[in-house]
């Protein structure tokens, strides 16, 4: 059975560190601790005193001062790994954690998980080819030498980087290694750890190279594992769940995140708030529990994004630079059907095609595979269609050789609707008001990644009112915008009532409009 040696890097809160170490070792696992030298001697002594009688605890033989983005973080990890490898010969896996991490599964579940596959769990993607780095310097992390820390000596960091670039000082990566990048929260097998430690002793050139790279904790272990371990024995993922805000800061987890955390396909999570005492207690009890079954849904990140995005209504009041000379045309009329239930709008469009000669395009800004003519590539991606929205729709008018055209939009497309209303062309809008059952909303949540098949029912029940309110907000926003030439049909209306609105929208006879309104199963799910 798997037995884990946790590698803990910490720098504060000695009482919490003692509690964490006791909890992680209570089920037979081990822990090796590096307590940052910046944390002070008194705090470190408090940790040692609190754990002195625990045989499953060891400490790095040397303490150093650690700095974010610096080699010291890797060196501290190596000190703790060396101590664990020596002290715990029965450890089968080595798992990197911090003082902000907590388990979100039982120890029994984690051990069974690790026993199922003989692999290392570590994110490792090609440094130069992947898009793992979103902001800041990239190649310069490696090709320049970094002697100063950006956070503590930013002017010196920037001056050093500028000077090397100005003088053309660019070093090569060691020729036999392919640098990888990924999360610093890994879980490696004992054999892999032994290979890494042997490598650090024999390859002084590689060690010298990484000592002056920037943020090496995202590249050092990732690179060495790929260099030393066969590819089929690496699972390029982290077992630690973490999320980031729009500003690149780690999301802090509180007491009310328990239900979300335990359904994620991860073993640990960070960052747990120091004030989340109830969450810590519940997760601590869970770690020691036996026979617990977990329903894995894995929608945590998409759900967080959805909830944080609510209430943010992006508005823009001027044209994009590529649209300043682009108009649909003064003599043209764009007819927009707005509906959250896409299948309802598509049924209506099918009937419009049957009874009129107006060209109709379904959700052209929402569905990648919407049937479209070849217009030179602009139709290939949703991003291109949306970015060049007016030029794109104008090309459709030209292609169909028409001055009237119907398009379908989602109810969340307020910015698109507003933009088309601001054009010189004529614009009409038909809003479809549908009923939303709980079963439909559950399916919608799963389709957009807010929930999964294994999402607990109580979590789903808390989510549905939020989704329902969000849809209501979208329709309210459209009505509050007070657009001209707007018509509405509703699931609660009779076909005759809806026919009058359709007739005005399409400017057709009431007789033809009624044929459209009587479409079979128009509002059925």
């Amino acid at each position: 059975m798997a037995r884990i040696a946790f590698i803990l890097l910490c720098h504060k809160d000695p009482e919490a560190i003692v509690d964490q170490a006791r909890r992680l070792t209570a089920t037979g696992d081990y822990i090796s601790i590096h307590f940052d030298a910046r944390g002070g001697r008194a705090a470190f002594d408090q940790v040692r005193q609190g754990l002195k009688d625990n045989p499953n605890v060891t400490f790095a033989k040397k303490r150093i001062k650690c700095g974010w983005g610096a080699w010291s973080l890797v060196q501290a990890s190596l000190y703790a790994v060396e101590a664990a490898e020596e002290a715990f010969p029965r450890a089968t896996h080595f798992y990197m954690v911090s003082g902000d991490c907590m388990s979100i599964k039982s120890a029994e579940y984690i051990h069974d998980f690790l026993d199922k596959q003989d692999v290392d769990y570590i994110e490792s993607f090609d440094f130069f080819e992947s898009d793992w780095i979103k902001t800041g310097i990239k190649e310069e992390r490696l090709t320049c030498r970094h002697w100063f820390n950006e956070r503590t000596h930013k002017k010196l960091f920037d001056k050093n980087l500028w000077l090397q670039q100005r003088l053309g000082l660019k070093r090569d990566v060691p020729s036999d290694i392919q640098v990888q990048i990924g999360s610093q929260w890994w879980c490696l097998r004992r054999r892999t750890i032994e290979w890494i430690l042997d490598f650090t002793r024999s390859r002084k050139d590689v060690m010298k190279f990484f000592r002056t790279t920037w943020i090496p904790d995202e590249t050092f272990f990732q690179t060495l594992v790929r260099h030393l371990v066969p590819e089929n024995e690496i699972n390029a993922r982290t077992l630690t769940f973490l999320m980031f805000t729009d500003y690149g800061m780690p999301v802090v987890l509180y007491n009310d995140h328990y239900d979300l955390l335990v359904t994620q396909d991860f073993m640990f999570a960070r960052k747990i708030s120091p004030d989340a005492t109830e969450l810590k207690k519940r997760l601590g009890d869970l770690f020691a529990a036996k026979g617990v079954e977990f329903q894995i849904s894995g929608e945590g990140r998409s759900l967080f994004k959805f909830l944080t995005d609510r209430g943010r209504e992006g508005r823009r009041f001027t044209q994009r630079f590529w649209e300043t000379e682009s108009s649909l045309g003064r003599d043209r009329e764009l007819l927009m059907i707005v509906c959250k239930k896409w299948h309802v709008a598509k049924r209506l469009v099918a009937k419009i095609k049957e009874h009129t000669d107006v060209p109709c395009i379904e959700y052209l800004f929402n569905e990648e595979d919407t049937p479209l003519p070849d217009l030179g590539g602009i139709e290939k991606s949703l991003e291109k269609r949306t970015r060049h929205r007016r030029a794109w729709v104008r090309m459709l008018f030209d292609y169909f050789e028409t001055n009237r055209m119907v398009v379908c939009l989602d109810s969340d497309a307020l910015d698109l609707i507003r933009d088309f209303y601001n054009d010189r062309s004529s614009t009409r809008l038909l809003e479809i008001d549908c009923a939303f059952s709980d079963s439909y909303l559950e399916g919608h949540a799963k389709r957009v990644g807010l929930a999964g098949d294994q999402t607990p029912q109580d979590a789903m029940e808390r989510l549905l009112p939020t989704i329902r309110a969000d849809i209501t907000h979208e329709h309210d926003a459209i009505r509050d915008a007070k657009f001209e030439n707007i018509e509405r049909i509703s699931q609660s209306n009779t076909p005759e009532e809806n026919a009058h609105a359709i007739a005005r929208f399409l400017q057709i006879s009431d007789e033809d409009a009624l044929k459209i309104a009587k479409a079979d199963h128009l509002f059925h799910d």
Side-chain angles (χ1 to χ4, degrees):
M1 184 183 77
R3 298 191 71 177
I4 304 169
F6 292 100
I7 308 301
L8 174 62
L9 302 189
C10 50
H11 65 282
K12 61 180 180 179
D13 203 352
E15 291 182 3
I17 297 304
V18 171
D19 290 341
Q20 184 181 27
R22 288 173 177 168
R23 181 175 61 255
L24 293 177
T25 57
T27 55
D29 290 318
Y30 313 100
I31 193 166
S32 178
I33 302 172
H34 178 277
F35 194 87
D36 195 332
R38 296 181 187 276
R41 184 71 194 184
F44 177 59
D45 288 343
Q46 186 178 346
V47 174
R48 289 192 70 109
Q49 184 66 24
L51 298 171
K52 64 179 182 179
D53 297 324
N54 191 328
N56 287 9
V57 176
T58 192
F59 294 88
K61 291 183 169 59
K62 186 176 181 180
R63 294 172 61 213
I64 59 174
K65 294 181 180 180
C66 297
W68 183 90
W71 169 256
S72 53
L73 285 176
V74 177
Q75 186 63 72
S77 302
L78 287 172
Y79 285 146
V81 166
E82 289 170 348
E85 191 266 344
E86 179 181 340
F88 308 127
R90 297 182 63 189
T92 61
H93 293 77
F94 293 70
Y95 195 128
M96 174 70 73
V97 294
S98 74
D100 297 322
C101 293
M102 280 204 70
S103 58
I104 56 175
K105 298 291 186 294
S106 64
E108 180 182 64
Y109 181 96
I110 296 173
H111 293 153
D112 289 344
F113 181 91
L114 294 177
D115 282 335
K116 288 179 181 177
Q117 280 192 297
D118 186 22
V119 297
D120 296 307
Y121 293 92
I122 182 169
E123 277 192 352
S124 52
F125 307 103
D126 186 276
F127 183 92
F128 295 99
E129 298 298 328
S130 72
D131 63 348
W132 201 87
I133 298 174
K134 302 299 183 184
T135 60
I137 61 174
K138 185 173 181 178
E139 290 82 359
E140 294 83 358
R141 286 193 186 192
L142 308 179
T143 58
C144 293
R145 295 171 175 82
H146 300 275
W147 292 291
F148 305 100
N149 191 293
E150 184 183 28
R151 291 195 171 182
T152 56
H153 300 92
K154 180 166 178 55
K155 289 185 178 179
L156 289 174
F157 179 92
D158 291 341
K159 186 71 173 180
N160 173 62
L161 180 61
W162 174 85
L163 188 60
Q164 291 182 67
Q165 292 173 325
R166 180 68 180 271
L167 297 176
L169 302 177
K170 185 177 181 180
R171 63 174 175 175
D172 294 327
V173 176
S175 59
D176 63 328
I177 67 172
Q178 185 175 6
V179 178
Q180 305 286 307
I181 190 165
S183 168
Q184 64 269 52
W185 310 108
W186 41 256
C187 178
L188 304 177
R189 297 166 297 172
R190 183 178 196 91
R191 184 183 63 181
T192 302
I193 288 294
E194 291 171 347
W195 286 349
I196 289 174
L197 293 178
D198 288 343
F199 186 92
T200 63
R201 296 169 188 133
S202 62
R203 291 297 302 272
K204 301 302 181 183
D205 59 322
V206 176
M207 299 298 287
K208 181 179 179 181
F209 170 78
F210 275 107
R211 282 192 180 95
T212 52
T213 60
W214 181 233
I215 320 183
D217 55 317
E218 294 179 348
T219 56
F220 179 78
F221 288 99
Q222 296 78 359
T223 300
L224 266 58
V225 170
R226 281 285 176 187
H227 184 75
L228 299 169
V229 178
E231 184 174 358
N232 63 351
E233 296 182 22
I234 300 173
N235 191 326
R237 59 161 294 190
T238 175
L239 297 181
T240 299
F241 178 67
L242 64 161
M243 298 183 292
F244 291 90
T245 68
D246 295 346
Y247 305 101
M249 300 300 292
V251 173
V252 179
L253 303 164
Y254 295 93
N255 291 332
D256 57 352
H257 285 114
Y258 177 85
D259 291 331
L260 180 146
L261 291 175
V262 298
T263 61
Q264 304 311 309
D265 189 20
F266 295 88
M267 306 301 115
F268 279 72
R270 70 183 307 269
K271 288 183 155 187
I272 309 297
S273 168
D275 299 322
T277 53
E278 180 185 347
L279 177 62
K280 290 181 179 180
K281 182 182 184 307
R282 294 181 71 184
L283 291 177
D285 293 342
L286 178 66
F287 186 68
K290 299 287 186 181
V292 180
E293 295 184 2
F294 295 89
Q295 292 183 317
I296 306 300
S297 58
E299 76 284 355
R301 292 193 176 103
S302 59
L303 180 58
F304 172 78
K305 184 179 187 302
F306 166 72
L307 293 174
T308 53
D309 282 350
R310 289 184 70 245
R312 298 178 184 173
E313 183 183 42
R315 301 184 180 187
R316 62 185 181 87
F317 300 94
T318 60
Q319 294 178 311
R320 303 298 194 190
F321 72 89
W322 58 80
E323 296 173 334
T324 54
E325 298 302 325
S326 178
S327 170
L328 305 186
R330 190 181 300 277
D331 298 327
R332 284 172 169 165
E333 186 175 43
L334 182 66
L335 306 174
M336 295 181 285
I337 296 177
V338 176
C339 186
K340 194 67 177 180
K341 289 186 175 180
W342 296 0
H343 59 278
V344 175
K346 290 177 180 181
R347 288 181 194 142
L348 185 67
V349 160
K351 278 296 181 180
I352 293 174
K353 290 179 179 178
E354 182 180 335
H355 294 286
T356 75
D357 58 358
V358 180
C360 301
I361 306 292
E362 294 173 0
Y363 286 84
L364 68 169
F365 295 108
N366 300 97
E367 290 186 302
E368 198 89 48
D369 57 353
T370 297
L372 295 168
D374 185 351
L375 296 176
I378 193 173
E379 78 284 353
K380 297 299 184 183
S381 73
L382 293 176
E383 189 272 336
K384 284 185 178 180
R385 299 178 205 168
T386 304
R387 188 196 320 158
H388 306 294
R389 59 192 72 170
R390 295 194 193 178
W392 154 237
V393 173
R394 183 186 181 108
M395 291 171 72
L396 288 171
F397 273 110
D398 292 340
Y399 177 84
F400 290 112
E401 298 181 347
T402 183
N403 284 333
R404 301 184 79 225
M405 185 168 65
V406 172
V407 299
C408 296
L409 301 176
D410 192 279
S411 58
D412 67 358
L414 181 62
D415 62 329
L416 285 172
I417 298 170
R418 192 188 302 277
D419 196 26
F420 286 127
Y421 261 95
N422 287 334
D423 192 75
R424 293 197 299 270
S425 62
S426 298
T427 310
R428 293 181 177 275
L429 190 148
L430 177 67
E431 183 183 6
I432 304 179
D433 185 16
C434 300
F436 294 91
S437 65
D438 285 352
S439 60
Y440 176 84
L441 293 179
E442 286 187 16
H444 174 73
K446 292 174 182 178
R447 285 191 295 273
V448 299
L450 299 178
D453 292 335
Q454 301 301 320
T455 298
Q457 189 58 37
D458 57 344
M460 185 70 78
E461 289 173 357
R462 290 194 299 273
L463 178 61
L464 294 188
T466 301
I467 298 176
R468 190 184 301 278
D470 211 55
I471 294 173
T472 301
H473 171 75
E474 291 173 0
H475 285 279
D476 286 344
I478 291 173
R479 297 179 186 189
D480 290 342
K482 300 185 184 303
F483 295 119
E484 296 179 352
N485 302 321
I486 183 170
E487 304 291 343
R488 293 184 181 87
I489 64 174
S490 174
Q491 187 168 349
S492 61
N493 290 349
T494 64
E496 289 74 16
E497 290 172 325
N498 286 335
H500 292 311
I502 294 172
R504 290 191 296 269
F505 173 67
L506 294 173
Q507 296 181 318
I508 60 176
S509 68
D510 286 343
E511 183 180 356
D512 287 338
L514 185 58
K515 294 176 183 177
I516 295 172
K518 285 185 174 181
D520 293 337
H521 313 297
L522 177 60
F523 290 100
H524 287 191
D525 292 333

